């Protein structure tokens, strides 16, 4: 029997803030339990630290430079042959969506579509939900210093889960289904009602790795964004502990709704493959920044990625993997070929406990930027919001300018820019990426090795679409490297 495919996606969830990952606050006990019973990919990465490029990569299995959606404003330009919905529709799956879309697909592409929900509003069924959405809008993506004066039932995750459970109840029990539930939280605005507001007191929030002084060390878009935020909201960083406490409370609220969703899905008498992940991370106060926007730091790039289901091993995997690997994994789980032009790799063998070819999973890449050239830290170009007043969008003309590629391999992180100095960090000793070793003579050999790995990835990420007369040679799982016993055929 073909499994239901369940995708639970959060928005802007930072890795490392659950008890299972070593954090002292127990933010997501249910999701931690899923990770314990399933495969926890501890080095999973987004393809880009912005919603629409990352979600397009999930749907298409392609990196942003190839699917061509490199900013939040051009989802309609996605380039691909078949995406996740095409694959599942061809396999006779019913398609159900609830939550925040922010993607190139719309309501017409699903059998049921509950939304769109965004960060300050969603479909409203009663006066209480309308009152909450109005209050949320007036918060202006800020930080609430008091518990949200509206009940949990009006919160967007609760409403989205209710909508998803209605689809589960009404779905055809004799056909497999995709149930994609996409939560806007823990993305800003940072607010949460009781009892979540008191999950942790601000004074008990663990210390951060580094503060606002780090933005001047980082320079570039980090310093520009910090200065913009301080100009618009003086003292912006002073309440970082309250903001972090709210963020942690939002994680617990999400955890309760994911538990509620899971309980409802159990009523379907079918096997199930569940993938829990985020589109990208959040600074959560690091560098004196909130939200996202500047650079390719680990705080933004790493994402939670958990796979559970029949035959899935309870294990932690350390291989670097990507959000682009979701589509090939689903293809293999439902017995459909991986579409042409897909660059991701199926993770199903890894989730089943099989050994991974070291060459295939020794590194991973990600991307950011558009336009080629990066704006200077003193730039003041026209933006899609004004320089006056408190309202701002951290994703803008300046912070998203340039062209950057990152590579993670072991404890090393490499970032190469089109027109800026390169970056090289030892994440074991420098998790905030402040000591740039790119030009350090003692690390020339490391730099050369990582540059070679990045060059091989760049060769790999060329676009094979549209199809011509040639037939591609593919290995199983869309791996470029065969398992050891077959490796001699492809050296």
């Amino acid at each position: 029997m073909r499994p239901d495919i369940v995708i639970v996606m959060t928005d802007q969830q930072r890795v490392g803030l659950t008890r299972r990952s070593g954090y002292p606050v127990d933010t997501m006990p249910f999701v931690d339990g899923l990770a314990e019973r399933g495969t926890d990919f501890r080095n999973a990465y987004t393809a880009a630290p912005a919603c629409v490029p990352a979600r397009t990569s999930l749907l298409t299995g392609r990196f942003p430079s190839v699917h061509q959606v490199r900013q939040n404003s051009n989802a309609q330009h996605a380039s691909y042959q078949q995406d996740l919905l095409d694959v599942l529709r061809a396999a006779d799956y019913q398609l159900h969506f609830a939550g925040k879309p922010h993607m190139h697909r719309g309501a017409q592409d699903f059998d049921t579509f509950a939304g769109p929900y965004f960060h300050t509003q969603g479909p409203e069924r009663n006066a209480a939900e309308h009152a909450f959405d109005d209050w949320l809008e007036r918060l202006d993506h800020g930080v609430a210093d008091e518990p949200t004066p509206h009940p949990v039932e009006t919160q967007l995750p609760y409403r989205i889960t209710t909508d998803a459970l209605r689809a589960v109840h009404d779905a055809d029990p004799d056909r497999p289904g995709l149930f994609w539930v996409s939560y806007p939280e823990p993305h800003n605005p940072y607010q949460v009602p009781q009892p979540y507001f008191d999950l942790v007191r601000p004074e008990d929030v663990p210390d951060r790795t580094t503060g606002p002084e780090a933005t001047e060390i980082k320079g570039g878009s980090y310093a520009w964004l910090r200065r913009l935020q301080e100009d618009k909201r003086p003292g912006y960083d002073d309440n970082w502990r309250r903001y972090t406490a709210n963020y942690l409370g939002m994680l617990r609220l999400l955890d309760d709704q994911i538990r509620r969703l899971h309980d409802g899905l159990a009523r379907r008498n079918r096997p199930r493959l569940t993938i829990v992940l985020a589109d990208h991370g959040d600074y959560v106060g690091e560098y004196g920044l909130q939200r996202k926007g500047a650079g390719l730091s680990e705080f933004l790039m790493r994402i939670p990625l958990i796979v559970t289901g029949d035959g899935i091993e309870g294990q932690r995997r350390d291989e670097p993997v990507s959000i682009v690997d979701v589509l090939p994994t689903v293809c293999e789980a439902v017995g459909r070929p991986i579409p042409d032009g897909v660059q991701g790799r199926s993770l199903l063998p890894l989730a089943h406990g099989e050994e991974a070819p070291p060459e295939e999973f020794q590194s991973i890449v990600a991307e950011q930027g558009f336009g080629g050239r990066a704006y200077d830290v003193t730039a003041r170009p026209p933006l899609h919001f004004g320089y006056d007043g408190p309202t701002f969008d951290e994703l803008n003309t300046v912070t998203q300018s340039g062209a950057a590629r990152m590579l993670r391999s072991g404890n090393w992180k490499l970032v190469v820019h089109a027109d800026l100095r390169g970056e090289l960090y030892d994440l074991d000793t420098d998790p905030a990426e402040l000591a740039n070793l790119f030009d350090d003579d003692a690390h020339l050999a490391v730099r050369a090795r990582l540059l070679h790995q990045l060059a091989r990835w760049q060769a790999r990420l060329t676009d094979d679409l549209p199809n011509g007369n040639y037939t591609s040679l593919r290995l199983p799982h869309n791996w470029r490297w065969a398992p050891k016993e077959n490796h001699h055929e492809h050296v």
Side-chain angles (χ1 to χ4, degrees):
M1 183 183 291
R2 287 173 299 165
D4 283 343
I5 302 298
V6 178
I7 298 177
V8 179
M9 172 171 270
T10 59
D11 191 340
Q12 210 162 290
Q13 182 182 343
R14 165 126 160 236
V15 163
L17 300 184
T18 72
R19 179 157 289 176
R20 175 177 166 81
S21 60
Y23 199 67
V25 182
D26 192 13
T27 54
M28 303 190 84
F30 179 74
V31 171
D32 274 354
L34 291 178
E36 188 70 30
R37 297 190 295 274
T39 295
D40 183 2
F41 289 98
R42 298 194 298 174
N43 288 309
Y45 282 78
T46 187
C51 297
V52 179
R55 290 161 187 260
T56 307
S57 286
L58 181 148
L59 277 164
T60 66
R62 289 154 63 85
F63 284 85
S65 58
V66 175
H67 64 56
Q68 300 182 23
V69 179
R70 297 166 62 192
Q71 50 183 293
N72 275 355
S73 58
N74 65 334
Q76 71 275 17
H77 298 129
S79 174
Y80 59 96
Q81 183 193 71
Q82 290 182 307
D83 68 4
L84 180 71
L85 302 192
D86 295 318
V87 167
L88 292 178
R89 186 70 79 188
D92 195 34
Y93 271 66
Q94 50 191 320
L95 307 179
H96 305 280
F97 178 87
K100 174 189 170 179
H102 234 173
M103 58 182 172
H104 60 276
R105 293 294 203 153
Q108 71 280 1
D109 300 311
F110 294 86
D111 295 298
T112 67
F113 183 93
Y117 287 87
F118 285 100
H119 302 296
T120 59
Q121 75 279 328
E124 296 168 355
R125 288 170 290 257
N126 53 55
E129 291 178 354
H130 175 76
F132 169 73
D133 289 0
D134 182 64
W135 177 87
L136 202 56
E137 182 69 31
R138 285 185 277 110
L139 194 55
D140 192 22
H141 287 275
V143 178
D145 57 8
E146 298 288 345
T148 303
H150 298 272
V152 171
E153 291 76 14
T154 63
Q155 287 278 328
L156 303 181
Y158 189 96
R159 289 151 59 182
I160 291 167
T161 303
T162 298
D163 289 339
L165 291 176
R166 184 176 297 111
V168 170
H169 179 271
D170 295 341
D172 184 346
D174 297 322
R175 291 174 59 206
L178 166 70
F179 299 93
W180 184 356
V181 184
S182 175
Y183 295 111
E185 286 76 10
H187 189 289
N188 43 283
Y190 301 108
Q191 56 77 38
V192 71
Q194 294 290 21
Y196 307 102
F197 187 82
D198 287 337
L199 177 69
V200 57
R201 299 181 304 172
E203 58 267 32
D204 294 331
V205 166
D207 289 339
R208 54 189 173 182
T209 308
T210 189
E213 69 285 350
T215 59
E216 296 302 320
I217 297 173
K218 297 291 287 182
S221 59
Y222 288 86
W224 185 92
L225 181 58
R226 167 72 183 155
R227 295 172 191 177
L228 176 78
Q229 293 176 348
E230 191 62 30
D231 285 346
K232 284 183 158 292
R233 300 183 180 188
Y236 185 84
D237 186 55
D238 294 345
N239 67 342
W240 78 268
R241 289 186 183 275
R242 177 71 267 166
Y243 143 67
T244 303
N246 287 5
Y247 187 92
L248 299 176
M250 293 166 78
L251 292 179
R252 177 61 76 87
L253 185 151
L254 279 168
D255 191 69
D256 284 346
Q257 295 311 305
I258 295 170
R259 181 196 302 268
R260 184 170 161 239
L261 174 69
H262 185 271
D263 291 346
L265 285 162
R267 301 189 188 107
R268 278 179 62 83
N269 190 25
R270 300 191 67 90
R272 186 164 71 246
L273 181 76
T274 300
I275 300 173
V276 182
L277 78 166
D279 54 0
H280 55 77
D282 186 306
Y283 295 120
V284 192
E286 300 293 349
Y287 311 116
L289 297 172
Q290 300 168 19
R291 311 186 192 181
K292 53 187 180 294
L296 291 159
S297 78
E298 295 289 286
F299 304 119
L300 302 184
M301 302 311 295
R302 286 184 61 207
I303 58 173
L305 177 57
I306 300 164
V307 180
T308 68
D310 294 349
I312 304 300
E313 291 286 320
Q315 58 180 334
R316 299 184 190 217
R317 302 291 304 224
D318 291 326
E319 294 88 354
V321 300
S322 172
I323 197 171
V324 303
D325 298 328
V326 171
L327 172 58
T329 302
V330 171
C331 288
E332 187 164 356
V334 304
R336 297 292 299 180
I338 296 171
D340 290 341
V342 168
Q343 299 161 327
R345 309 145 302 174
S346 172
L347 304 180
L348 202 61
L350 279 63
H352 286 159
E354 298 179 20
E355 184 178 355
E359 300 91 340
E360 182 67 46
F361 291 98
Q362 66 179 323
S363 63
I364 196 62
V365 294
E367 309 177 355
Q368 185 193 40
F370 78 99
R373 296 194 61 187
Y375 280 95
D376 184 78
V377 69
T378 61
R380 299 277 288 187
L383 304 174
H384 63 280
F385 55 90
Y387 283 97
D388 297 327
T391 300
F392 70 94
D393 184 348
E394 66 278 11
L395 300 180
N396 57 63
T397 291
V398 175
T399 64
Q400 301 305 289
S401 66
R405 302 288 183 270
M406 63 145 277
L407 178 136
R408 171 73 189 271
S409 180
N411 61 304
W412 292 102
K413 170 85 165 281
L414 173 75
V415 182
V416 173
H417 301 267
D419 62 341
L420 299 174
R421 179 190 178 201
E423 303 174 55
L424 176 65
Y425 305 106
D426 180 349
L427 297 177
D428 282 351
T429 60
D430 181 25
E433 304 167 45
L434 298 179
N436 187 356
L437 304 173
F438 190 85
D439 296 321
D440 183 358
D441 289 346
H443 294 87
L444 292 180
V446 173
R447 186 182 75 180
R449 175 170 58 84
L450 297 183
L451 285 169
H452 181 240
Q453 290 182 20
L454 180 60
R456 296 188 75 174
W457 269 104
Q458 288 300 106
R460 178 175 183 161
L461 298 187
T462 53
D463 193 0
D464 291 330
L465 297 178
N467 290 329
N469 292 330
Y470 303 146
T471 301
S472 300
L473 174 61
R474 278 193 172 163
L475 290 171
H477 325 301
N478 215 32
W479 294 355
R480 294 296 178 99
W481 296 94
K484 289 182 178 179
E485 59 269 21
N486 297 325
H487 181 64
H488 66 276
E489 300 176 8
H490 304 279
V491 174

